[in-house]
Amino acid sequence: MYSATNDTDVKKESLPWAGLLALAMAGFICILTESLPAGLLPQIASDLGVTQALAGQLVTLYAVGSLLAAIPLTTATREWRRKPLLLLCIIGFLVFNTVTALSSVYAITLIARFCAGVAAGVLWGMTAGYARRMVPESLKGKAMAVAMVGTPLALALGVPIGTFFGTYAGWRLIFGTVSILTLALIAWVLWNMPDYEGEPAQDQLPLHKIFFIPGIRPILFVVLAWVLAHNILYTYISPFLADTALAHRVDLILLLFGVTSVIGIWIIGLLIDRYMRILVLSSIAIFALASAAMEIWINQPVVIIFGVIAWGMTFGGAATLLQTAIAHAGGQSADIAQSMLVTAWNLGLGAGGIVGAILLDWIGARFLPGSLVLLLLITLIIAWTAQNHGFPRSR
């Protein structure tokens, strides 16, 4: 029987830092690849000779590639050994970011971005299972927190720094730098990364049966709704702040969000193995309260600042909490369950931009935070009722 507990590498009661940090670095590169074009749209558009709207499709095609690839390719590669599959994904980032950095043809750049998204979909589908197989049961949550730390670090530091230098040194140089980082990561993985078997064919459940495993569906709903609420506010934070005294401090507000996200994932890492259910419920509830406060006291900059702090700290560990929950619920089919989570996450990201735009036209930017409260309350109720399987009580 395929099981994480059968791996001989998980006997030590300590974290395998080299392997976990390699996964974190892979996530860091993945988020940089995904997010850098958003901050460099004017430069990219000018260089490729297209409008900024067309340049924005570099972000869209990446998301589409990830969305389309996560479930089918994770399913198709579930028998593969983990280390070669991880290397293949990382090499994909190297190739496609290099093509992006060198291409002067818009269509080729779009194809490269789509393929990079495909690599990301597979990578995110396997990261949680890989991290959890490195450690004993008592350390699985902490291992997940370390493996996921690359995401908030990329958002808090990597993307702002890349955007700053890309503005002055050229966007191609930044993508080339990401490729150099990827080369270093490939060497790191080859040198000091454990390998594990894939899932034997006889142990594989059909996709539809995994979807109906108790706990999977409520977790996926929470993923979709939580990410949707987050991305509505995050995508349109500038229009919202334009109605406040912080209208000209968007950069600092986003930096504050990023830094507090890193703090949030650190807190989650300390507590997740004992208090996962409490952390999920309290994170959603605090986000709802912060959203309500930011709308009610929109004219109070201090309230906005503390609202962003609460939002950042609660969302920073969201990926770790939700991936841990779905890995626990999925059992031996954890990687396929993770690919479903990746799909739901990307749906939430994409829908956030669309729904936020509709709300922006209907009710105006100042009411965006308050519009999230009902959605978050429903999410909280779903998470609360999924106590036996999806979000079980503390162990």
Side-chain angles (χ1 to χ4, degrees):
M1 178 68 71
Y2 166 84
S3 172
T5 56
N6 289 336
D7 297 315
T8 56
D9 294 78
V10 301
K11 302 301 182 183
K12 295 181 180 180
E13 287 285 337
S14 61
L15 290 176
W17 288 99
L20 293 175
L21 289 175
L23 292 175
M25 185 63 178
F28 182 85
I29 290 171
C30 183
I31 295 299
L32 278 183
T33 302
E34 174 185 353
S35 303
L36 277 174
L40 297 169
L41 282 185
Q43 294 84 359
I44 294 173
S46 176
D47 201 356
L48 294 178
V50 297
T51 65
Q52 289 193 38
L54 286 177
Q57 301 316 302
L58 299 184
V59 178
T60 303
L61 264 290
Y62 182 98
V64 170
S66 183
L67 184 66
L68 294 180
I71 293 177
L73 286 188
T74 302
T75 302
T77 57
R78 63 207 299 197
E79 293 182 46
W80 293 24
R81 295 193 67 86
R82 299 294 91 183
K83 185 173 179 177
L85 181 58
L86 176 65
L87 279 169
L88 184 61
C89 293
I90 298 171
I91 291 171
F93 283 118
L94 172 63
V95 171
F96 302 125
N97 277 329
T98 302
V99 171
T100 300
L102 298 176
S103 170
S104 58
V105 180
Y106 176 68
I108 293 175
T109 307
L110 280 181
I111 293 170
R113 291 290 298 172
F114 176 85
C115 293
V118 169
V122 179
L123 176 70
W124 288 126
M126 68 180 297
T127 298
Y130 210 143
R132 289 169 64 85
R133 293 179 74 178
M134 294 184 191
V135 295
E137 187 66 33
S138 62
L139 294 176
K140 290 187 184 300
K142 288 184 174 63
M144 277 290 301
V146 174
M148 293 302 299
V149 76
T151 297
L153 283 176
L155 292 173
L157 299 175
V159 174
I161 292 173
T163 299
F164 175 80
F165 283 104
T167 301
Y168 295 100
W171 68 274
R172 295 183 185 277
L173 178 63
I174 300 304
F175 275 93
T177 302
V178 175
S179 291
I180 293 172
L181 290 176
T182 308
L183 269 175
L185 178 59
I186 291 170
W188 185 353
V189 171
L190 286 170
W191 169 60
N192 199 2
M193 189 76 177
D195 188 19
Y196 302 102
E197 294 180 354
E199 185 180 354
Q202 65 271 19
D203 293 339
Q204 295 177 8
L205 289 176
L207 192 62
H208 70 277
K209 289 189 176 180
I210 296 173
F211 182 73
F212 285 100
I213 292 175
I216 294 293
R217 284 163 295 162
I219 294 172
L220 291 176
F221 177 87
V222 170
V223 171
L224 179 60
W226 194 350
V227 174
L228 173 62
H230 157 77
N231 215 48
I232 288 172
L233 187 55
Y234 190 84
T235 302
Y236 298 100
I237 189 66
S238 293
F240 168 69
L241 291 176
D243 288 333
T244 75
L246 300 168
H248 301 294
R249 310 312 298 266
V250 177
D251 53 346
L252 292 180
I253 290 296
L254 290 178
L255 177 62
L256 181 63
F257 175 86
V259 170
T260 52
S261 294
V262 176
I263 296 172
I265 200 170
W266 175 71
I267 294 172
I268 294 298
L270 293 177
L271 302 175
I272 187 172
D273 287 309
R274 295 183 61 189
Y275 303 110
M276 183 183 70
R277 176 176 171 78
I278 294 173
L279 291 169
V280 170
L281 296 176
S282 60
S283 294
I284 298 170
I286 291 171
F287 184 18
L289 290 172
S291 298
M294 284 191 286
E295 178 169 314
I296 294 171
W297 290 287
I298 190 172
N299 295 319
Q300 300 295 325
V302 173
V303 174
I304 301 296
I305 289 171
F306 277 100
V308 170
I309 289 173
W311 170 27
M313 292 189 69
T314 55
F315 193 74
T320 301
L321 288 168
L322 296 169
Q323 286 193 307
T324 300
I326 207 164
H328 177 76
Q332 68 182 38
S333 300
D335 284 354
I336 306 302
Q338 291 290 340
S339 70
M340 294 179 180
L341 182 146
V342 172
T343 301
W345 190 284
N346 280 291
L347 283 172
L349 288 177
I354 297 171
V355 175
I358 294 172
L359 291 173
L360 201 64
D361 287 337
W362 282 4
I363 63 176
R366 65 167 294 147
F367 298 107
L368 283 179
S371 69
L372 309 180
V373 175
L374 178 60
L375 176 60
L376 290 169
L377 288 178
I378 294 172
T379 306
L380 183 62
I381 292 170
I382 297 296
W384 178 271
T385 56
Q387 62 180 336
N388 294 326
H389 300 285
F391 302 103
R393 296 183 182 277
S394 304
R395 290 169 286 177

